[in-house]
Amino acid sequence: MHSALFLIEFGAIILGLGLLGRFAGRLRFSPIPLYLLAGLAFGEGGLLPLGASEEFVAIGAEIGVILLLLMLGLEYTASDLVSNLKTQYPAGLVDFSLNALPGAIAALLMGWGPVAAVVLAGVTWISSSGVIAKVLGDLGRLGNRETPVILSILVLEDLAMAVYLPIITALLAGAGLAAGSVTLAIALAVAGAVLFVAVRYGRLISRFVSSDDAEKLLLVVLGLTLLVAGIAQQLQVSAAVGAFLVGIALSGEVAEGAHTLLSPLRDLFAAVFFVFFGLHTDPSSIPPVLLPALALAVVTALTKIATGYWAAKRAGVGPKGRWRAGGTLVARGEFSIVIAGLAVSAGIEPMMGPLATAYVLILVVIGPLTARFTEPVGLWFTARRAASAAVPAPAGEQDRAAAAKVEARD
């Protein structure tokens, strides 16, 4: 009976996602907001809460994030990653300054204390790699010139999490300096080792994985990715970073074959991830914190757009790509929820969870919209400013301006 109920629930979820995706496709719109709203409707406090399939959906959501980042990694080589990180690290510093500080300031203004300020800074700082990877695929922008800039910022953020998460865990637990330093050293060593192996031995890994049989290639690539992601997470490093670096390590025909085989699985589990996010959001917890969450979302959406615009401009990308880069980075997601969850579990601030949930939900819905519409809005605004600057002054004002120039010259 339980298995029958599970099949009914999970089948209904997959069918509903397919219909929502088809509807979004006809409107030329990203289906992510619809997936999230569906999760809200059938999650905790929703219209019809699910029960039997919840555990499976949770596992599917983790696999979804891992596959999204793996597929991103397959788009780029190890040399691309290293060169982008070397050139884009100033963008990472700008990203931290513009997007972490608003969260820290907001926490202090609400009287939450310094530890909560560090936590909320992380919530507002980190963009959602999972959402952004999905949006880039939906909008057909994986080959755009600004996409390496976006990915560099995302990778810098994910690598920064290898430093940030051990620090925040030690702060929340009240651990001493020695214990926190050991955890941090382990996390950095693991992240560095995985990156070194991906860059130095990528060809050997590709040769080991390579197979003319599609079934064997699928099993080896998927198994290797889940294994590395799991080990990375166990050692306090993001599973997303591990999956991304596996994708970076694979190249040539192996990468092309894996991309073709894994694309349908990525789309399935990515949709499950977004539904799972909505399922674990109680709609009744949002209204009390909606106004501060909305204010914080507006401020940090603008700061993310500024970050992407600046980074793309620095990389020599044209005006259209600059606006696209900024708009694409707006979405927050999985890391923000994880960070807030750590604070709630430690009992630091009871309102942190609802605020972070409302904040992320706002930006994860707005994110696909800003990714699509920031470019036309930004270009329209720029054109308006240029047009107003080019309007000639009235004749009287021109005469006065000329007289002033003569007087100044004399």
Side-chain angles (χ1 to χ4, degrees):
M1 186 66 183
H2 180 77
S3 61
L5 182 59
F6 162 75
L7 291 174
I8 291 170
E9 284 190 356
F10 194 66
I13 291 172
I14 300 301
L15 176 60
L17 292 177
L19 295 176
L20 289 174
R22 182 183 297 180
F23 176 71
R26 289 184 178 179
L27 298 178
R28 298 181 58 82
F29 180 76
S30 173
I32 292 173
L34 299 182
Y35 295 161
L36 287 165
L37 293 175
L40 276 176
F42 296 100
E44 299 176 4
L47 300 175
L48 185 62
L50 301 177
S53 58
E54 184 174 345
E55 184 176 350
F56 186 83
V57 170
I59 296 172
E62 291 188 33
I63 295 174
V65 175
I66 289 169
L67 289 179
L68 282 168
L69 272 296
L70 169 67
M71 300 296 278
L72 269 184
L74 291 173
E75 297 288 335
Y76 298 92
T77 64
S79 59
D80 291 335
L81 174 66
V82 173
S83 62
N84 285 334
L85 291 180
K86 285 181 178 178
T87 57
Q88 291 299 330
Y89 75 88
L93 298 176
V94 171
D95 180 33
F96 171 78
S97 301
L98 291 181
N99 298 289
L101 289 179
I105 293 170
L108 293 175
L109 289 176
M110 290 185 287
W112 286 1
V115 174
V118 175
V119 173
L120 196 56
V123 171
T124 59
W125 171 22
I126 305 298
S127 297
S128 171
S129 300
V131 175
I132 291 170
K134 177 65 173 172
V135 168
L136 288 172
D138 288 344
L139 298 179
R141 295 181 181 174
L142 288 174
N144 283 17
R145 193 180 174 192
E146 76 275 2
T147 300
V149 176
I150 296 170
L151 295 183
S152 297
I153 292 174
L154 293 178
V155 172
L156 286 168
E157 288 180 349
D158 285 348
L159 292 176
M161 284 295 97
V163 179
Y164 176 82
L165 286 177
I167 291 175
I168 198 66
T169 302
L171 285 175
L172 293 172
L177 180 62
S181 300
V182 170
T183 304
L184 177 59
I186 293 173
L188 289 175
V190 172
V194 174
L195 181 60
F196 175 79
V197 171
V199 173
R200 188 71 179 271
Y201 300 106
R203 291 184 180 179
L204 292 177
I205 296 173
S206 296
R207 195 177 305 166
F208 167 75
V209 171
S210 179
S211 175
D212 295 330
D213 190 310
E215 178 185 351
K216 294 182 178 64
L217 179 62
L218 172 64
L219 292 174
V220 172
V221 172
L222 183 59
L224 178 64
T225 303
L226 295 175
L227 178 64
V228 172
I231 293 173
Q233 186 161 305
Q234 186 69 25
L235 295 173
Q236 305 299 319
V237 180
S238 165
V241 171
F244 182 82
L245 293 177
V246 170
I248 289 290
L250 302 179
S251 59
E253 294 182 0
V254 173
E256 294 176 5
H259 191 284
T260 302
L261 292 170
L262 289 168
S263 290
L265 281 177
R266 173 202 59 188
D267 294 338
L268 169 62
F269 286 106
V272 172
F273 162 70
F274 297 115
V275 170
F276 176 76
F277 187 86
L279 287 175
H280 283 258
T281 302
D282 186 351
S284 64
S285 68
I286 294 177
V289 294
L290 189 57
L291 286 180
L294 184 59
L296 198 57
V298 170
V299 170
T300 53
L302 295 175
T303 54
K304 275 291 182 183
I305 292 173
T307 299
Y309 188 95
W310 183 88
K313 182 179 180 180
R314 183 176 176 274
V317 178
K320 291 184 178 180
R322 298 171 196 171
W323 288 114
R324 287 195 297 265
T328 303
L329 287 169
V330 166
R332 282 20 170 229
E334 57 276 8
F335 271 132
S336 299
I337 294 299
V338 169
I339 293 167
L342 291 173
V344 172
S345 299
I348 296 299
E349 175 54 52
M351 294 301 292
M352 177 73 74
L355 176 67
T357 298
Y359 169 80
V360 170
L361 188 62
I362 291 168
L363 288 183
V364 86
V365 171
I366 292 176
L369 301 178
T370 60
R372 183 175 180 184
F373 296 112
T374 297
E375 176 199 344
V377 172
L379 293 176
W380 173 83
F381 179 74
T382 304
R384 283 288 300 270
R385 288 187 61 186
S388 62
V391 173
E397 291 185 12
Q398 291 179 357
D399 294 340
R400 285 193 293 272
K405 287 182 180 178
V406 171
E407 185 178 329
R409 187 169 61 247
D410 295 339

